[in-house]
């Protein structure tokens, strides 16, 4: 187990390192000069040169990378080129908001997705399964802006139950924000819901097809006991990993959803940063997203290892 | 009237009520091709305390029958029966919920693959205890105690610690004991065992069968034992039912059935299994032609008629019923009376060459001190992994073989026999040693061998499904070696492919078939044709028949022998099946933990003195003849891992003849016994011979001893 | 029923395909939808009642009527015509992106899996890293550098999905590589090229087809999302995602300008999803597990 964790940690470290290099170098391909971009067309040569010096743009690329990486680790994420304010507090605050939204979404789609997946597997190839499979496939495929706008059309404009716009004050607490979270959370949930349901279904079917489940049934155990102790314990194990992999989708979904609802999360900040060509913001924001994703994978690996006797106890 | 185990009122004996009474059971599956009757009109009765052996090849419907008996069929299956009773209980009228109460308490099951039948994420003790809680209504504490008691009952060493372990921490043999303990926990009336030892090694199988025999003396549980292995039936069953294509062909007490064989199918089956207690000089294997008919294309009359040599006009018209032949012996053949008098045609296949002639043939293969050590893991991940030694799959094996002869390499799974063959083939790069073919040393890797060397050495693989490319027509597979290694042009290739198909007894139009349109045996024939296309001098046969049904195995063994005769090819025949090896080989080498322990001619290896491990194998293998008894020599524990090989004699942890500390400390020497017969053991051979007496097999009906 | 090793000696008829379709109505619907969209993409532009850029400010935000069956947008352009023309865009952009990813992923997976060793290890770690960045984010960042254009969107899609295709192909190759028919080929001295393309590749194809169809549906999703965010194809292109994005401001006054393009996206994505699921059932029977 310790070995397993160590190996996982090693891979995550490697991943973050390589991902940071990728993100840094992609953003360096930017056509045109950053300093020029910041100061605009009519800036003087001297002003541009000063800014270049200030931003360290005259240094060789690998030094620039090292400076940036070191800064990132120590919490100095640079200043926004647009607002000239430090990026870090801004990103962290938005991250908090996104986490709030993601948390609500996860609370909705994970249990629901697992339940639907298990039901579909138990009713395999019969109507409940075909219905669940078809609906979850549709949910997986629908872009968030389509579902989001549809929800707005129905619940905000049509019925007027919930606000269409979720551009809350970035500093709001959970209680204040809650009514504004519902529609965006449902929007992100639908994609995740379909994904989890499908994966749970196939995982459960795999387990239902095993000899040990047939053996458990033929041991005459009550059906509920077979399902809860024998089927689910094994079928939900891979779901841990699936949920973590789904976080990647969730993060992508947040970008679109936050834009649709005007919700002040990290995703919207990133879109905003890209529209304004705010380099430090983009770099830091992207790295944070990658880090969150990697850490959630790590957490999943740990939980998986703890739940799986094969890994927990080794050979 | 069918009533074997029931009241034989006419002759006034006591009324003995059967535990299981099945009459006219038919199982139907709804499929794409319409409804199919997989099991038809089967009747059988199992008496208390009886072990009933239900024998059949794959596709015979035996597993379906077992599932039907407990009313546990797939959603598209349904059953009808006149009677389906467990004791006094009519199972047909029970609801699903009531059936659940029967399952696991009155009828229990033991499944084929113990590794798959134990839940991987629940400790095994708990899996026994839950049965005790549900059916015996024990408290959790009592249930736990019951689990330990049961584990003790199945002779599990250290039940306390085993109970806490998970499936992946136990060997196959131990898991099967756990399943038997689970099945016996409620002291059921009937236990159904579906091929319970098929996935196990023969020495483990022997231990499990002994255990069953022992348990049966203390318990009154009846067992319905499903298997394809006639030897197992002969060893432990009292009655036998022979199933074929969904119907019972013959049924009766084991001794009667094995002796008088009142159905041509039973005769065919028994005639086609090689026997470990008879050499190939004495027996010619007789294969049953053709294959089991598909359930959607059953013949009108007797279902065996397409393959029956005795079939005549009437056989093709109506399905013959199961009739009483002799007391409690039943058969479904119309002509059984004639069979009584019909002597089986004892065919001898020309003069069989003895191993002693072998000094004459040219030396084909000389493999010296081959070692193959695998690193436990590779790549970047090994940076993070703990240092552990290499897996010594093959650890110093040497073999010499002359043209036209067969060397059989036997050993249990994981002993390194397949790795050895793959090293010779170059598919695995040997770690050290020398491989010489006709005196020329070969590079380790197949990629570096010359065309002319490749041509000389070919291989037939175990799994017929993986050995042909699913996207290539059979003919293409056979043609490639001709083009590459034979340097033939188009028309030569064509006629040669046709010749080869004829040589392996396949119709010519099979050339254009895709593998999924062929049966297992046919695929293996194509694979053999492909191997012979290169015209090799050495053929490596890696368990070529293990995946096939018995009746098909025989025809392939005969085919291989025939081709060898014609082409003077040397065979290295790798198998875990000592009987098949004995039948096909001139020379035999016995492997355990990556090393050879005994080498000798097929005749010598089967008579004392033999190596203690060979002895254990011989006594473990069930002989398909209830009148032959075997010495009970059993191995303890399981095979040690190939990473930490025991010191001294590596067999010492399990050797029943171990003589003392010397076995643990010093590697044993090779001792010569007779013509090229060598044994590696510390016990001096004369003494070994004395210990082993007359050998493993003796005929219990005292008609003279065999072997 | 017990599995037996008798072969299936009847070659399957071409009609078995249709039979299977009948058993899974969702799959049939999927195939029909995809077929219709392809048809529209081919003939759509020529049957569009108006040029897709034609602005009639006098008819801004006109509701669906006989002249404009889907209504008009904020510039008075005919939405029906724009959707017809846009279908070609979606299929072309997502399709070529997918094709590129499938080709490159296939090659990478084939070679990496077949060669094995250190090269394989490095390539696969690299793929893992790319996969550790959420695709939409990575697409946004790359487009930020390259600048948004139709070609660049194709390149991004093609690049982004390489790792997933490569992974699937590689795992299939790893499995096939140890099959005995490949070993038999090695034992008769076949060249690597023959083994890779004649022995292995045909057996990868069914997996590849399923994977490609799945990638295609994700690609449509991605392209539409990028369009919506304004980071993909640029105006005045009739990209459906872009249409939805632009329409958001007018949503309250004229629901149709949003509903129709959004519906088109939904229909196509769901159709491709159903088709892909059906392909999996037909080409890879037995394997329930998603990769
Ligand atoms: S009934 Fe006829 S065909 Fe059937 S087994 Fe007997 S002799 Fe053969
Ligand atoms: S050397 Fe000792 S342990 Fe080894 S086989 Fe002989 S008697 Fe048994």
């Amino acid at each position: 187990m310790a070995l397993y964790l160590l190996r996982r940690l090693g891979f995550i470290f490697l991943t973050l390192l390589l991902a940071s290099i990728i993100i840094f170098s992609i953003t360096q391909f930017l056509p045109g000069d950053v300093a020029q971009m910041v100061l605009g067309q009519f800036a003087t040569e001297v002003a541009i040169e000063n800014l270049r010096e200030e931003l360290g743009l005259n240094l060789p690329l690998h030094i620039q990378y090292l400076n940036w990486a070191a800064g990132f680790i120590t919490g100095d994420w640079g200043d926004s080129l647009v607002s000239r304010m430090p990026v870090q507090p801004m990103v962290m605050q938005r991250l908090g908001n996104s986490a709030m939204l993601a948390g609500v979404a996860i609370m909705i789609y994970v249990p629901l997705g697992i339940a639907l997946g298990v039901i579909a597997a138990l009713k395999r190839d019969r109507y409940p399964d075909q219905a669940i499979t078809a609906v979850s496939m549709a949910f997986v495929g629908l872009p968030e802006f389509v579902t989001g706008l549809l929800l707005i059309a129905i619940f905000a404009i049509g019925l007027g139950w919930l606000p269409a716009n979720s551009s809350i004050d970035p500093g709001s607490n959970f209680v204040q924000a809650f009514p504004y979270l519902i529609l965006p959370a449902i929007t992100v949930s639908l994609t995740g819901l379909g994904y989890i349901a499908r994966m749970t279904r196939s995982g459960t079917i795999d387990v239902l097809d095993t000899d040990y489940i047939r053996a458990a049934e033929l041991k005459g155990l009550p059906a509920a006991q077979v399902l809860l102790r024998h089927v689910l314990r094994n079928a939900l194990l891979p779901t841990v990993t699936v949920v973590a992999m789904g976080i990647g989708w969730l993060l992508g979904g947040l970008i679109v959803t936050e834009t649709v609802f005007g919700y002040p999360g990290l995703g919207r900040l990133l879109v905003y940063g890209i529209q304004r060509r705010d380099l430090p913001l983009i770099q830091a924001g992207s790295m944070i997203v990658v880090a969150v994703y990697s850490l959630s994978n790590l957490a999943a690996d740990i939980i998986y290892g703890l739940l799986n006797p094969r890994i927990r106890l080794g050979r | 009237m069918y009533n074997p185990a029931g009241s034989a009122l006419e002759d006034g004996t006591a009324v003995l009520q059967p535990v299981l009474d099945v009459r006219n059971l038919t199982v139907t599956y709804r499929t794409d091709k319409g409804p199919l009757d997989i099991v038809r009109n089967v009747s059988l009765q199992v008496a208390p305390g009886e072990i009933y052996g239900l024998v059949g090849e794959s596709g015979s419907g035996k597993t379906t029958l077992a599932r039907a008996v407990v009313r546990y069929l797939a959603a598209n299956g349904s059953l009808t029966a006149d009677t389906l009773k467990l004791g006094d209980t009519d199972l047909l009228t029970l609801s699903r919920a009531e059936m659940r109460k029967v399952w696991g308490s009155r009828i229990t099951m033991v499944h084929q693959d113990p590794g798959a039948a134990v839940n991987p994420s629940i400790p095994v003790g708990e899996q026994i205890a839950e049965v005790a809680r549900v059916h015996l209504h024990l408290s959790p504490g009592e249930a736990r105690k019951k689990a330990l008691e049961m584990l003790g009952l199945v002779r599990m060493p250290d039940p306390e610690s085993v109970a806490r372990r998970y499936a992946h921490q136990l060997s196959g043999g131990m898991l099967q004991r756990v399943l038997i303990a689970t099945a016996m926990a409620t002291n059921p009336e009937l236990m159904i065992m579906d091929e319970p030892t098929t996935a196990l090694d023969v020495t483990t199988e022997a231990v499990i069968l002994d255990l069953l025999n022992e348990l049966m003396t203390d318990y009154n549980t009846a067992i319905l034992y499903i298997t394809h292995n006639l030897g197992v039936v002969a060893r432990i069953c009292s009655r036998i039912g022979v199933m074929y294509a969904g119907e019972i062909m013959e049924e009766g007490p084991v001794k009667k059935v094995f002796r008088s064989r009142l159905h041509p199918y039973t005769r065919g089956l028994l005639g086609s299994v090689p026997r470990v207690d008879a050499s190939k000089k004495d027996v010619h294997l007789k294969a049953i032609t053709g294959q089991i008919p598909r359930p959607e294309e059953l013949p009108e009359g007797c279902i065996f008629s397409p393959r029956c040599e005795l079939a005549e006009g009437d056989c093709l018209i109506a399905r013959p019923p199961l009739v009483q032949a002799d007391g409690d012996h039943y058969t479904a053949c119309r002509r059984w009376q004639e069979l009584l008098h019909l002597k089986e045609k004892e065919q001898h296949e020309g003069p069989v060459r003895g191993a002693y002639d072998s000094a004459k043939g040219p030396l084909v293969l000389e493999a010296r001190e081959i070692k193959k050590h695998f690193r436990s893991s590779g790549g970047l991940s090994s940076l993070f992994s703990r240092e552990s030694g290499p897996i010594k799959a093959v650890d110093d094996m040497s073999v010499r073989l002359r043209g036209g002869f067969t060397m059989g390499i036997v050993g249990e799974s994981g002993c390194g026999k397949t790795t050895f063959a793959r090293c010779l083939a170059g598919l695995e790069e040997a770690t050290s040693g020398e491989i010489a073919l006709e005196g020329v040393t070969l590079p380790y890797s197949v990629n570096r061998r010359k065309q002319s060397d490749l041509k000389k050495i070919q291989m037939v693989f175990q799994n017929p499904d993986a050995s042909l490319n699913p996207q290539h027509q059979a003919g293409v597979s056979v043609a490639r070696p001709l083009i590459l290694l034979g340097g033939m042009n188009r028309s030569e290739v064509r006629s040669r492919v046709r010749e080869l198909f004829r040589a392996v007894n396949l119709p010519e139009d099979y050339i254009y078939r895709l593998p999924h349109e062929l049966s297992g045996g046919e695929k293996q024939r194509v694979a053999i044709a492909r191997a012979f296309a290169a015209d090799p001098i050495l053929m490596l046969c890696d368990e070529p028949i293990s995946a096939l049904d018995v009746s098909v195995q025989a025809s392939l063994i005969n085919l291989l022998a025939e081709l060898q005769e014609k082409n003077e090819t040397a065979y290295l025949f790798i198998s875990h099946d000592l009987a098949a090896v004995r039948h096909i080989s001139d020379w035999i080498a016995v492997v355990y933990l990556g090393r050879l322990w005994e080498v000798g001619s097929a005749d010598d290896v089967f008579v004392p003195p033999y190596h203690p491990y060979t002895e254990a194998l011989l006594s473990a293998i069930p002989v398909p003849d209830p009148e032959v008894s075997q010495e009970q020599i059993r191995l303890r524990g399981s095979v040690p891992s190939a990473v930490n090989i025991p010191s001294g004699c590596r067999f010492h942890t399990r050797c029943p003849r171990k003589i003392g500390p010397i076995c643990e400390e010093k590697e044993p020497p090779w001792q010569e016994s007779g013509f090229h017969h060598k044994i590696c053991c510390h016990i001096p051979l004369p003494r070994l011979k004395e210990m082993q007496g007359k050998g493993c097999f003796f005929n219990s009906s005292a008609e003279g001893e065999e072997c | 029923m017990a599995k037996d090793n008798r072969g299936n000696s009847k070659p399957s008829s071409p009609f078995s395909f249709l039979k299977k379709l009948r058993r899974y109505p969702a799959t049939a619907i999927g195939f029909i939808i995809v077929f219709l969209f392809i048809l529209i993409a081919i003939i759509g532009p020529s049957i569009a009642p108006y040029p897709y850029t034609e602005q009639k400010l006098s008819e801004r935000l006109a509701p669906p009527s006989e002249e404009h069956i889907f209504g008009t947008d904020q510039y008075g352009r005919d939405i029906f015509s724009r959707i017809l023309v846009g279908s070609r865009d979606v299929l072309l952009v997502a399709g070529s992106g997918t094709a590129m990813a499938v080709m490159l992923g296939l090659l990478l997976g084939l070679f990496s899996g077949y060669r094995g060793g250190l090269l394989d290890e490095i390539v696969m770690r690299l793929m893992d890293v790319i996969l550790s960045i959420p695709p939409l984010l990575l697409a946004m960042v790359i487009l930020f550098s390259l600048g948004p254009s139709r070609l660049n969107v194709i390149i991004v899609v093609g690049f982004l999905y390489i790792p997933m295709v490569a992974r699937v192909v590689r795992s299939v190759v790893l499995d096939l590589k140890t099959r005995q028919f490949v070993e038999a080929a090695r034992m008769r001295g076949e060249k690597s090229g023959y083994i890779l393309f004649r022995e292995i590749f045909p057996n990868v194809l069914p997996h590849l087809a399923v994977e490609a169809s799945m990638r295609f549906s994700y690609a449509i999703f991605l392209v539409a999302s990028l369009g919506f965010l304004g980071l993909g194809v640029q105006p005045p292109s009739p990209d459906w995602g872009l249409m939805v994005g632009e329409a958001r401001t007018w949503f309250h006054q004229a629901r149709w300008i949003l509903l129709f393009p959004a519906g088109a996206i939904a229909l196509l994505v769901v159709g491709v999803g159903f088709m892909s699921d059906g392909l999996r059932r037909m080409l890879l029977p037995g394997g329930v597990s998603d990769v």
Side-chain angles (χ1 to χ4, degrees), chain C residues 44-70:
Chain C
S46 51
I47 61 165
Y50 303 90
Y52 72 92
T53 44
E54 188 185 78
Q55 304 189 357
K56 278 195 211 134
L57 290 178
S58 53
E59 292 175 26
R60 295 178 65 224
L61 301 176
S65 63
E66 256 168 54
E67 280 144 73
H68 303 284
I69 56 173
F70 286 177

Side-chain angles (χ1 to χ4, degrees), chain B residues 597 611-612 649 651-652 655 657-659 663 668 680-683:
Chain B
W597 298 95
H611 189 273
C649 171
F651 185 48
H652 81 77
C655 180
R657 301 244 183 241
K658 183 174 154 187
I659 48 173
C663 294
C680 180
C681 178
H682 281 303
I683 307 178

Side-chain angles (χ1 to χ4, degrees), chain B residues 332-405:
Chain B
C333 177
R334 293 174 51 254
R335 307 184 61 186
W336 63 270
Q337 269 140 331
E338 294 160 62
L339 280 173
L340 267 182
H341 309 291
L342 192 75
K343 265 270 157 209
E344 258 160 281
K345 276 175 256 162
E346 298 269 339
Q347 280 187 342
H348 272 279
E349 179 207 9
V352 182
R353 189 177 26 183
Y356 294 94
D357 310 334
S358 64
K360 291 170 205 153
L363 186 64
V364 169
L365 170 72
E366 170 139 41
R368 262 197 302 269
E369 295 167 15
I370 304 293
K371 286 190 185 173
K372 175 66 195 178
H373 296 180
F374 291 100
R375 269 187 303 149
S376 347
S377 60
L380 284 182
S381 48
S382 64
L383 283 179
F384 298 99
S385 73
R386 183 180 27 199
E387 269 289 282
S388 63
I391 300 160
K392 297 174 182 158
V394 175
D395 202 22
D396 194 354
M397 285 173 57
S398 304
V399 156
R400 286 158 61 93
L401 184 58
R402 289 177 187 277
F405 288 90

Side-chain angles (χ1 to χ4, degrees), chain B residues 471-660:
Chain B
Q471 309 282 348
H472 288 182
Q473 288 173 345
V476 175
S477 297
V478 178
R480 284 303 296 184
L482 296 172
I483 301 168
L484 274 168
L485 301 173
M488 295 185 180
N489 66 32
R490 258 166 180 277
S491 65
E492 283 169 338
V493 167
R494 266 197 206 152
S495 65
R496 181 77 184 121
V497 167
R498 253 180 249 130
E499 263 174 58
L500 282 162
F501 269 69
R502 237 174 288 137
V504 295
N505 300 326
L506 284 177
E508 267 181 33
D509 59 324
Y510 276 46
I511 291 174
Y512 304 103
R513 290 209 177 178
L514 286 171
H516 75 90
E517 296 161 2
L518 302 173
S519 73
E522 287 162 353
K523 278 182 223 169
Q524 212 56 328
R525 280 167 196 272
V526 176
I528 291 172
R530 173 179 67 193
F532 270 100
D535 202 7
I537 56 167
L538 173 64
M539 180 79 92
L540 306 168
C541 307
D542 181 16
E543 306 255 17
I545 55 169
S546 312
L548 306 174
D549 271 324
V550 220
S551 65
V552 184
Q553 284 187 0
S555 63
L556 278 167
I557 291 184
N558 290 343
L559 173 67
L560 284 170
E562 213 175 281
L563 289 170
Q564 179 173 46
E565 195 78 17
K566 227 184 290 170
N567 300 297
E568 286 284 300
T569 321
Y571 284 175
L572 204 69
F573 190 89
I574 285 121
S575 179
H576 67 281
D577 182 354
L578 204 45
V581 166
R582 175 165 200 185
H583 191 85
I584 199 164
S585 309
D586 306 293
W587 295 93
I588 289 176
V590 182
V591 189
Y592 179 79
L593 261 185
R595 209 174 263 188
L596 298 181
W597 298 95
E598 177 166 4
V599 185
S601 73
D603 296 326
D604 289 341
V605 168
F606 289 88
V607 272
Y610 23 58
H611 189 273
Y613 179 61
T614 316
E615 186 184 17
L617 282 180
L618 286 177
S619 91
I621 295 172
V623 178
D625 186 344
E627 321 217 325
V628 170
S629 307
Q630 284 160 279
E631 204 77 55
Q632 262 203 30
I633 292 162
R634 299 293 179 251
L635 299 185
R636 294 167 270 151
S638 47
V639 186
S641 101
V643 178
N644 302 308
I645 288 179
S647 60
C649 171
R650 35 185 87 183
F651 185 48
H652 81 77
T653 51
R654 308 177 73 201
C655 180
R657 301 244 183 241
K658 183 174 154 187
I659 48 173

